[in-house]
Structures are given as structure tokens and as C-alpha cells.
């Protein structure tokens, strides 16, 4: 039996799966997408664009205008979400425009939860 | 059109607010529902480990994103600090974002402090432009008397054409550079109004109108759009 598959973290926790997920989570915008999905499991791409923009930028900018949010929406749609989907962290239902957390390995969720506390807790 | 009709003419926008915070904020949500005239105010959670200072709200109009604002700025506007119209601090105060975002929104309940903060926004524009016409309704002479030092300086240090309106007599010395319209009519006695024409520049024009409720407090709106500012200017002049 492949020793990678004997991990206590389930059948998906192969080093290459974790590599892919951690590589995706090296980007701050992508991490904030995952933080919101850890809280709500499923959300529309439109709401995630609102939330990621507001959460990342209101502490410094005070107010976020539509241009900034709409740029973020396109960035998510064309770049960041495909990357998270490719890495197996997020699912994107393009028919109804919703995002949800993929059943990714426990270490990935744990890392994202700790990163969320470290990054949004202050 | 009279000033009383003006607020009714502002179409109530189909705005919604969603508050994002790590814990429910029922008091803030209730106040926004009660005071802003925005019909739908909802709460959505952020992860509980998120710092309260990172909470924010998102405003939509007809389903389109209008703005996201930090909740600290929103809370500040509910009890805003007051600066002089020429104070440099005004450039930095977070509550200015709230005034920007809620332009053309009829607030059901505003107190004098909030109206003074919104008025300072318009007076600050007038101060910065330094020319053009500023019209201000003070209700009664006592209110003008309290603001006389501010308007004295605005008139002395700018080329603004300043007209002020009161419902009663003005028995005190005139304020150089300020035209005082005493006994300007009963309507002036029941409203708080400012209009600055931006000296023709739409980017700087602005207006504020608030009507006093019988039981105290005001219903009011501030506007930036030049058409609405011009309409308020005409309504004010027709009312006196």
C-alpha cells in the first residue's frame, strides 16, 4: 500500500495535495476567500467579492468604492478562484455562481483556521 | 416648490445594508434600520476570531455594490466629533466616508450633532473653494448667534457670498460680509438648511435639508448631485 495513503488525515492528505493547497494559500486574497468559506461553507461569488474587498481594505482605506470591488470581482473570477479550484480547496458552481469549500484535507483547514486568527485577529 | 416638499421629492433608493462582524451587532443594526430609512439591514458573521475593529458594512442599491465602510466610521458618525469648517482634521475624519456614501438617502432620525457634522462638510467645501454662494437657514436668531464667530471668519477670509435666514428678528450687530434675512418665514423656523453652489463647479456643490420633528430630532437628507443642489437652492429662495 502507498504509505502516503495511510495518513490519519484521510485519503486526500497526500503530500502533493497538501503542497497544492498550501501553494494556493500563499496568496492573501485567496486566503480571505477561504476564511469566509470556513465560516459559511457556501456563498455567492458576488458576496465573496464584497467581503474580501471590505475585509482586506476597510481597515486602511475606510471606504471601498465600486471600482475597487469590481476589480476584485474580476480578479477572483478569472485568477484567484480558478487557482483555488485547481488546488482542490474550493468548488465553483458556475451555473448558480456559488463558491463552497471543497472537502480538502484536515491539515489544510487547520492551517487556514490558524492563519485566519493570526491575520484577522488584530 | 417649498422646502417642505423637497424631502418628499427625493426618491427613496432601494438600498440594502449588510453588516459583517464577528458577533451580531443588534444595537447598531437596529439604529441603522430606525435612522437611515434603509429598508433592509442584515447581519452576516465573520469568523469569531476576527478583531471587532475589522468589522464593516456593505451597501447595495438595486443589487449593485455602492460601498463598503468600516464600522468604526459608521459608529463615529452616530456621535461625530465636531471641527471648525477650516480644520485640517476634517480631511482625515472617518465619518466623512459615511456622509459620502449616504448622500441622497433620507434619514428618518438625525440629531443636531449629526446635522452639524454634515453641515461642516458643506461649509468646508465652501471654505476650500473660497468663492460662490452659500445659503444657510438657522431657524432662529439664537442659532445664528451661536455660529456667528464661524460665519464671521468664513466671510472675512473668503470671497464667499453668504446669505443666512432666520425666522425671527436679528437685534445684534451685523456680521460683515454676511447678508442676514430676518423674518424669513415660518418654514425657515422649522428646517435646518444649507446650500453651496460650488461657484459653478459640480464637484464642490452640496446641500443639506432637515425638517424638525414635532417631538424633537430631524428627518433629513444631504445631496451632492448638481440638479438636486440647484433644486434645493431654488426651493430655499422661494420659501422666504
Amino acid at each position: 500500500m502507498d504509505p502516503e495513503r495511510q495518513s490519519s488525515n484521510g485519503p486526500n492528505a497526500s503530500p502533493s495535495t497538501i503542497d497544492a493547497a498550501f501553494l494556493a494559500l500563499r496568496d492573501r486574497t485567496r486566503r480571505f476567500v477561504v476564511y469566509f468559506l470556513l465560516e459559511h461553507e457556501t456563498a455567492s461569488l458576488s458576496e465573496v467579492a464584497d467581503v474580501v474587498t471590505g475585509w482586506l481594505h476597510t481597515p486602511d482605506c475606510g471606504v471601498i468604492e465600486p471600482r475597487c470591488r469590481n476589480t476584485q470581482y474580476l480578479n477572483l473570477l478569472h485568477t484567484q478562484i480558478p487557482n483555488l479550484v485547481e488546488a482542490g480547496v474550493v468548488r465553483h458552481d458556475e451555473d448558480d455562481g456559488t463558491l463552497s469549500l471543497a472537502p480538502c484535507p484536515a491539515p489544510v483547514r487547520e492551517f487556514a483556521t490558524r492563519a485566519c486568527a493570526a491575520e484577522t485577529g488584530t | 416648490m417649498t422646502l417642505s416638499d423637497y424631502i418628499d421629492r427625493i426618491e427613496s433608493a432601494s438600498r440594502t445594508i449588510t453588516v459583517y462582524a464577528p458577533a451580531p451587532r443588534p444595537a447598531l443594526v437596529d439604529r441603522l434600520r430606525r435612522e437611515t430609512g434603509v429598508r433592509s439591514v442584515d447581519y452576516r458573521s465573520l469568523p469569531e476570531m476576527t478583531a471587532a475593529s475589522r468589522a464593516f458594512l456593505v451597501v447595495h442599491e438595486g443589487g449593485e455594490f455602492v460601498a463598503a465602510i468600516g464600522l468604526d466610521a459608521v459608529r463615529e458618525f452616530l456621535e461625530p466629533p465636531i471641527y471648525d469648517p477650516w480644520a485640517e482634521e476634517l480631511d482625515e475624519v472617518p465619518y466623512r466616508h459615511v456622509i459620502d456614501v449616504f448622500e441622497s438617502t433620507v434619514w428618518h432620525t438625525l440629531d443636531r450633532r449629526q446635522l452639524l457634522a454634515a453641515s461642516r462638510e458643506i461649509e468646508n467645501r465652501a471654505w476650500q473653494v473660497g468663492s460662490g454662494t452659500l445659503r444657510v437657514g438657522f431657524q432662529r436668531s439664537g442659532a445664528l448667534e451661536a455660529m456667528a464667530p464661524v460665519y464671521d471668519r468664513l466671510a472675512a477670509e473668503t470671497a464667499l457670498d453668504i446669505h443666512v435666514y432666520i425666522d425671527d428678528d436679528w437685534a445684534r450687530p451685523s456680521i460683515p460680509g454676511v447678508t442676514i434675512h430676518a423674518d424669513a418665514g415660518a418654514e425657515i423656523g422649522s428646517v435646518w438648511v444649507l446650500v453651496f453652489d460650488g461657484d459653478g463647479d459640480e464637484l464642490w456643490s452640496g446641500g443639506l435639508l432637515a425638517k424638525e420633528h414635532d417631538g424633537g430630532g430631524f428627518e433629513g437628507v444631504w445631496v451632492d448631485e448638481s440638479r438636486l443642489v440647484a433644486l434645493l437652492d431654488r426651493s430655499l429662495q422661494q420659501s422666504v
Side-chain angles (χ1 to χ4, degrees), chain B residues 1-233:
Chain B
M1 188 172 71
T2 65
L3 287 171
S4 301
D5 299 331
Y6 184 85
I7 292 178
D8 299 335
R9 276 283 294 272
I10 303 283
E11 290 168 24
S12 76
S14 55
R15 289 192 165 185
T16 63
I17 293 175
T18 309
V19 172
Y20 291 93
R25 303 289 285 269
L28 180 71
V29 167
D30 276 359
R31 253 190 107 166
L32 290 170
R33 264 193 206 125
R34 221 171 39 238
E35 297 181 14
T36 58
V38 171
R39 285 174 221 143
S40 161
V41 184
D42 295 317
Y43 164 74
R44 288 270 277 169
S45 60
L46 293 177
E48 62 181 1
M49 62 277 261
T50 300
S53 60
R54 284 184 167 266
F56 58 92
L57 61 77
V58 174
V59 182
H60 284 101
E61 186 169 334
E64 295 286 316
F65 178 94
V66 174
I69 327 171
L71 281 197
D72 286 348
V74 176
R75 266 213 321 271
E76 189 189 58
F77 179 69
L78 296 176
E79 283 180 39
I82 304 298
Y83 298 99
D84 287 327
W86 43 82
E88 287 176 6
E89 291 94 328
L90 269 181
D91 292 340
E92 306 288 333
V93 291
Y95 74 73
R96 271 191 118 162
H97 301 312
V98 181
I99 293 178
D100 277 351
V101 168
F102 287 100
E103 184 263 337
S104 292
T105 302
V106 177
W107 288 64
H108 293 317
T109 313
L110 288 160
D111 59 31
R112 288 185 178 275
R113 197 174 180 83
Q114 290 169 318
L115 283 172
L116 192 53
S119 301
R120 283 292 187 259
E121 175 67 27
I122 295 168
E123 290 162 348
N124 175 257
R125 290 181 195 184
W127 168 263
Q128 292 199 53
V129 173
S131 56
T133 304
L134 175 66
R135 298 181 193 279
V136 188
F138 276 99
Q139 297 189 288
R140 285 162 288 278
S141 51
L144 172 57
E145 199 178 331
M147 286 294 154
V150 169
Y151 277 76
D152 196 23
R153 180 162 175 190
L154 270 180
E157 298 187 25
T158 67
L160 287 164
D161 183 16
I162 301 176
H163 293 260
V164 302
Y165 303 84
I166 50 177
D167 180 25
D168 50 5
D169 289 333
W170 180 250
R172 302 190 57 80
S174 60
I175 305 171
V178 177
T179 308
I180 299 172
H181 302 260
D183 295 317
E187 209 172 14
I188 284 295
S190 64
V191 297
W192 181 312
V193 59
L194 280 94
V195 192
F196 175 54
D197 67 0
D199 198 16
D201 186 338
E202 293 180 6
L203 285 176
W204 291 91
S205 64
L208 163 72
L209 176 66
K211 200 158 61 173
E212 193 163 9
H213 294 303
D214 291 339
F218 290 80
E219 173 187 47
V221 64
W222 48 89
V223 291
D224 281 343
E225 195 195 316
S226 57
R227 184 181 59 85
L228 292 173
V229 175
L231 184 62
L232 180 57
D233 198 34

Side-chain angles (χ1 to χ4, degrees), chain A residues 33-75:
Chain A
V33 171
V34 172
Y35 299 160
F36 193 63
L37 294 177
L38 275 170
E39 178 71 10
H40 290 284
E41 286 291 332
T42 299
S44 69
L45 174 59
S46 179
E47 182 182 23
V48 169
D50 293 353
V51 169
V52 168
T53 317
W55 203 358
L56 275 172
H57 300 302
T58 51
D60 299 324
C61 305
V63 67
I64 306 301
E65 296 182 344
R67 194 172 56 177
C68 175
R69 181 270 177 195
N70 293 339
T71 302
Q72 183 66 274
Y73 177 86
L74 294 174
N75 174 39

